[in-house]
Amino acid sequence: MALTYFLDTHCLTEGSTYQFTAMVTLTDGEGKPKECADRCVVAWAMMFSGASDRTTSIELLGVMGSEYVAGWNEFTFTVTVDEMMASFEYVAVVFGRPPTGLC
């Protein structure tokens, strides 16, 4: 399962820098707090253009650390929009288990 947030691409201008911060708590199947093992949650940008003939790119943005305080992990990363990211029609930030081959 992953949390996906689509960004307003009209605001993504090349050279702009954005900082993302999220407080994340992980639970097991019974709702009990669970610590994050190495790279259990990452953030990546999923970028694409076109409806049927889709051009897609995936870029790693950040990896959640293992510091666990009172049931929460702070997940912070900074993104600077490059020429490629600014050229896509749709850009989404995705939080979840890393896709195969991403990291």
Side-chain angles (χ1 to χ4, degrees), residues 26-88:
L26 302 175
T27 57
D28 62 16
E30 298 175 6
K32 296 177 185 170
K34 178 181 176 182
E35 289 192 42
C36 181
D38 187 41
R39 296 182 180 263
C40 68
V41 178
V42 300
W44 67 92
M46 180 175 63
M47 302 167 278
F48 56 95
S49 294
S52 57
D53 186 21
R54 189 174 281 188
T55 302
T56 306
S57 179
I58 295 177
E59 179 181 328
L60 180 67
L61 301 176
V63 177
M64 186 169 76
S66 59
E67 188 173 333
Y68 189 70
V69 179
W72 294 91
N73 290 84
E74 182 175 293
F75 194 167
T76 301
F77 59 93
T78 302
V79 175
T80 300
V81 178
D82 59 14
E83 181 181 1
M84 181 185 74
M85 184 180 281
S87 72
F88 280 96

